[in-house]
Amino acid sequence: MGLKAGALSLVIFLFFLGIWHATTVTPARSGGALTEYEQLMGKSAGKQDGLPTPAQMGSAVKKHLSDPFYDNGPNDKGIGIQLAYSLMRVGAGFLLAALVAIPVGFFIGMSPLLYRALNPFIQVLKPISPLAWMPLALYTIKDSATSSIFVIFICSIWPMLINTAYGVASVRRDWLNVARTLEVGVFRKAFQVVLPAAAPTIMTGMRISMGIAWLVIVAAEMLVGGTGIGYFVWNEWNNLSLTNVIFAILMIGVVGMVLDLMFGVLQKFVTYVE
Amino acid sequence: MSAESFLIAEALAKKFPGGRGKPDLTVFDDVHFSIEKGEFVCIIGHSGCGKTTILNVLAGLDSATAGNVVMDGREVAGPSLERGVVFQGHALMPWLSAKKNVEFAVRSRWPDKSKKEIDEHCQRYLDLVGLTGSEHKKPSELSGGMKQRVGIARAFAIEPKMLLLDEPFGALDALTRGNIQDELKKICAATHQTVFMITHDVDEAILLSDKIMLMSNGPKARIAEIVVNTLPKERSRETLHKEPHFYAIRNHLVDFLVSRSKRFSEELPAGYDARNPPLVMPGVETQPEPPQPKAEVPHPEKAVVVNFR
C-alpha cells in the first residue's frame, strides 16, 4: 500500500514536471537576427525572466541549498538565515502565546463563571485578522521586529486558549470524582489529573496555532520588511526573480510541514486511548 | 438501628426543583438505615430510585436535600480517604498504567511513604486481585474485568474504613463477574471490610451480602424492607443454589423487584415505619412466604439468572 502510494505520488510529480517543462521551455530560435525590440528587452541572453523551467528551478534550488547561510548585506542573505529569522519570530510569539493561553485557558475551563464572562471577548477578538493589529503594534511597540512577534502572539493565542478551556472543561467527571474521594490537593489535581486528561486537546490547539503562526509570519514579514522568509519573497518579487519566489514558496511549505510533523509527534506522546 | 452502628443514615431525601409551576421531584425521602462494622450490605432497586445518589451521598460526592450520614461517629460532609469508592465505569485514568493508577491513590493516602514502600504496597493489592504480571499495562490494554479489578485494588489499597461499590460488575460478562465476585468475597472476608454495594443482580446480592436493602421505585422511593441473608457465611457460588433458604430469599427478592416495588410507595403497608424498615428472613420466619417453586425447578443449577438491567 505504502509502496503503491509512493509510486503514484512519483508518477503525479513527474507528470506535473512534464507539464511545467512543456509550458515554460521556449523553442530554440530558428536563426535570424534579433529584432531591435528584442535587443532592447535583453532577450538575447536566453530566457531569464518569467517562469523558470524545471531544470532552471533545480539548479537554483541546488545553488540556494548548497550555501544557505551566506550574508552579503541586508538584501542578500542565504535562505537558511531568512528562515531562521522567521522561525525565531514564530517561536517567540508562539511561546509567549502558550505561556498566556494555557494557564488562562485552564482557569476558564475550570470556572464556568469565568468562561461565560470571557466568552464575548474571545468571540470578538478571535476572528480579527492578525495583520489588522499591525498598525497598533507598530505605534505602541515602535519596533517592527517586535511588532511581528506580537502579531504571531495574537494569532496563535486563540486556538490554544479555546482548546485548553474546552479540554479542561470536558475532563471526565469520574476522574475528578476519583481525585475528590482521594482528597487530592488543588495543584496535584491540576497537574496529575486535569492536565494529562486535557493534554491531547491542548496539544491539538497548539498544533493549529503553530500552523496559523507559520501562515501569518510570511504576510507579517512582507509588511515589516528587513529579514525573514516573507521579506525574502517580497524582495525577490521586486527583483523580478520568480525562480527565487518559487523556491521560497517551496521552503515555506517544507518548513511548515516539518513544524506540523513535530507537533504530530508531540501529540502522539500525550494521547491516551480510553 | 442502634446508636453505636458504624454508619447511620438518617432521613435522607433528594429533591430536584420542578421548574416553573411544577412540583418538586422527590427521588427518595425518609431513607433510614444503618450498617455495622464488617457488614456487607447490598442495595437493590430499579433504575431511577436513587441508589447511586445514596451511594454518592455516603461517599460525600453528592449532598442530600435533607438528612445526614454519620460514619464512625463523624458526620459525612465531603469526600474522604476513609471511604473508598469503586465507580460504575471503573474510572481508571487511561494515561496511567494499572500500577500507577493504584499508586496515585496510595500516594494520596500516605504522601510521606517512600517510593519503595508505595511500590510494595501497590504490588500487594494488585497481586490480591490477581493482576500480577499486568501491572504495567495501560487500561486500554486490559479487559473489562481486569480494569474493574484495578478499580477494586485502588479502592482497597487506601485501606478505607468503608468501601462503596456502585454496580461494579454491571458491564462484565457472567463468567468474569463470577470470578471477581469470588475474589471480592474472599478479600472482604479476610479484611473484615465494611461494604455498601449497589447491584442489579439478585444472585450477586445473595452471594456477597449479609443484608440486602430493597428499595421501592421512585419517585418518593423508600427502603421497603431489609432482607437478612440467613445462608451460611462460607457460601460459595458453586453450592449457593443448594443452600436450604436460597430459593426462598431469591424468590422474595425477585418477587419484590417484579411486582411489589412498583406499588410500594403508593400504598405503604400498614405498620410500615420508614425509620425502622421491617427485617425479613425469607424461609426462616413464619411470615407468609411467596409461592415456592422449588419442586418446579428440575435443574436448579440451570436456574435462569434474572438480570434487571
Side-chain angles (χ1 to χ4, degrees):
Chain A
M1 187 71 176
L3 207 68
K4 270 187 191 168
L8 191 60
S9 291
L10 194 68
V11 169
I12 294 170
F13 183 63
L14 290 176
F15 181 72
F16 165 75
L17 280 187
I19 297 218
W20 182 5
H21 183 79
T23 49
T24 49
V25 81
T26 41
R29 291 185 65 87
S30 51
L34 293 170
T35 61
E36 196 181 354
Y37 175 73
E38 279 171 334
Q39 279 174 340
L40 273 172
M41 295 305 288
K43 293 275 179 178
S44 56
K47 191 172 164 61
Q48 284 299 311
D49 58 343
L51 289 170
T53 63
Q56 287 168 329
M57 191 65 226
S59 65
V61 169
K62 208 173 143 200
K63 196 185 104 225
H64 278 295
L65 291 185
S66 60
D67 186 14
F69 296 110
Y70 71 90
D71 187 353
N72 298 338
N75 277 339
D76 192 9
K77 291 190 204 310
I79 190 75
I81 292 183
Q82 305 287 29
L83 282 171
Y85 272 111
S86 297
L87 282 171
M88 188 205 72
R89 283 176 194 139
V90 165
F94 180 84
L95 217 66
L96 286 174
L99 285 179
V100 174
I102 294 173
V104 173
F106 223 87
F107 286 116
I108 296 177
M110 290 280 219
S111 149
L113 173 76
L114 215 56
Y115 178 82
R116 295 187 77 149
L118 289 177
N119 197 34
F121 299 105
I122 296 173
Q123 294 307 328
V124 169
L125 292 173
K126 187 179 61 158
I128 297 171
S129 164
L131 291 172
W133 294 97
M134 190 59 105
L136 273 185
L138 288 170
Y139 176 77
T140 47
I141 301 172
K142 297 190 172 56
D143 177 73
S144 64
T146 320
S147 295
S148 59
I149 292 176
F150 171 79
V151 167
I152 296 303
F153 166 81
I154 204 82
C155 78
S156 41
I157 200 165
W158 308 116
M160 279 195 267
L161 185 70
I162 291 164
N163 269 48
T164 305
Y166 175 74
V168 168
S170 47
V171 171
R172 282 226 342 241
R173 221 153 173 94
D174 272 356
W175 301 333
L176 297 176
N177 278 343
V178 168
R180 284 178 67 198
T181 56
L182 294 173
E183 297 183 59
V184 172
V186 180
F187 282 103
R188 196 153 167 257
K189 189 175 97 178
F191 284 105
Q192 293 192 9
V193 181
V194 179
L195 190 64
T201 325
I202 296 175
M203 198 49 87
T204 307
M206 292 175 84
R207 196 174 178 179
I208 297 169
S209 280
M210 183 47 89
I212 294 175
W214 189 243
L215 292 182
V216 168
I217 192 65
V218 176
E221 284 171 346
M222 283 180 176
L223 269 178
V224 297
T227 46
I229 188 72
Y231 166 72
F232 179 82
V233 171
W234 206 248
N235 197 32
E236 294 307 323
W237 165 236
N238 287 337
N239 291 342
L240 224 57
S241 169
L242 290 183
T243 313
N244 286 348
V245 170
I246 293 172
F247 172 66
I249 290 174
L250 202 67
M251 291 317 289
I252 293 170
V254 169
V255 173
M257 185 184 76
V258 170
L259 287 175
D260 194 60
L261 282 177
M262 273 163 53
F263 274 89
V265 171
L266 286 178
Q267 207 169 12
K268 214 175 235 166
F269 193 67
V270 296
T271 299
Y272 50 83
V273 191
E274 270 194 54
Chain B
M1 196 183 299
S2 68
E4 306 90 61
S5 290
F6 178 67
L7 179 135
I8 302 165
E10 274 182 324
L12 293 182
K14 185 75 181 177
K15 289 178 185 156
F16 291 105
R20 248 166 269 148
K22 288 182 194 157
D24 287 0
L25 175 71
T26 306
V27 183
F28 56 83
D29 71 349
D30 223 6
V31 167
H32 302 253
F33 61 89
S34 65
I35 298 174
E36 306 304 323
K37 201 158 181 60
E39 219 173 16
F40 198 125
V41 175
C42 269
I43 186 162
I44 281 193
H46 284 284
S47 305
C49 71
K51 302 183 299 289
T52 298
T53 312
I54 291 181
L55 184 129
N56 283 344
V57 170
L58 295 188
L61 291 170
D62 199 348
S63 55
T65 317
N68 60 317
V69 178
V70 176
M71 188 184 95
D72 209 13
R74 256 183 278 166
E75 174 152 20
V76 172
S80 154
L81 283 159
E82 309 272 82
R83 292 176 295 277
V85 185
V86 177
F87 293 88
Q88 207 166 358
H90 65 77
L92 297 181
M93 298 185 203
W95 57 89
L96 297 178
S97 67
K99 193 168 195 171
K100 294 272 177 201
N101 263 291
V102 179
E103 207 180 291
F104 181 78
V106 174
R107 204 171 278 284
S108 309
R109 174 86 195 207
W110 297 284
D112 301 327
K113 270 199 182 190
S114 75
K115 219 174 149 59
K116 192 162 164 278
E117 281 175 305
I118 288 183
D119 190 71
E120 285 167 1
H121 189 93
C122 296
Q123 192 61 49
R124 190 158 70 244
Y125 279 92
L126 284 166
D127 293 345
L128 200 63
V129 295
L131 279 176
T132 319
S134 304
E135 304 92 343
H136 301 297
K137 286 187 181 157
K138 294 272 172 72
S140 56
E141 299 163 303
L142 299 173
S143 68
M146 289 162 102
K147 278 187 241 186
Q148 205 50 272
R149 280 164 202 246
V150 181
I152 291 169
R154 178 171 63 182
F156 268 99
I158 60 168
E159 292 171 4
K161 287 186 179 164
M162 178 159 193
L163 200 62
L164 304 164
L165 301 126
D166 185 359
E167 242 188 278
F169 313 130
L172 305 181
D173 62 275
L175 211 66
T176 317
R177 194 185 321 177
N179 289 334
I180 305 190
Q181 282 168 356
D182 283 347
E183 269 156 38
L184 180 66
K185 191 166 185 307
K186 239 183 279 167
I187 303 171
C188 288
T191 54
H192 303 288
Q193 184 72 51
T194 314
V195 186
F196 178 88
M197 170 164 149
I198 296 176
T199 180
H200 277 113
D201 186 333
V202 174
D203 295 299
E204 179 172 284
I206 300 174
L207 174 67
L208 294 174
S209 57
D210 304 315
K211 259 173 20 185
I212 304 163
M213 303 199 290
L214 303 181
M215 260 192 111
S216 63
N217 288 12
K220 285 207 166 188
R222 305 274 172 96
I223 292 181
E225 56 190 48
I226 295 170
V227 175
V228 180
N229 196 339
T230 49
L231 303 188
K233 268 259 175 202
E234 299 76 33
R235 57 193 174 264
S236 77
R237 213 153 37 91
E238 287 78 31
T239 57
L240 189 65
H241 58 275
K242 296 197 178 105
E243 300 291 347
H245 302 307
F246 172 73
Y247 279 100
I249 299 173
R250 191 174 194 285
N251 290 337
H252 187 87
L253 299 181
V254 172
D255 177 57
F256 175 84
L257 285 172
V258 171
S259 55
R260 290 201 297 136
S261 65
K262 282 184 217 114
R263 302 189 307 263
F264 189 86
S265 299
E266 287 138 38
E267 36 193 276
L268 294 175
Y272 173 77
D273 175 14
R275 308 185 64 84
N276 229 336
L279 286 179
V280 291
M281 298 183 195
V284 174
E285 276 180 337
T286 49
Q287 57 146 343
E289 280 182 14
Q292 279 292 333
K294 234 179 210 167
E296 294 151 35
V297 182
H299 303 292
E301 60 277 5
K302 284 187 185 165
V304 185
V305 177
V306 181
N307 195 347
F308 289 89
R309 284 181 59 75

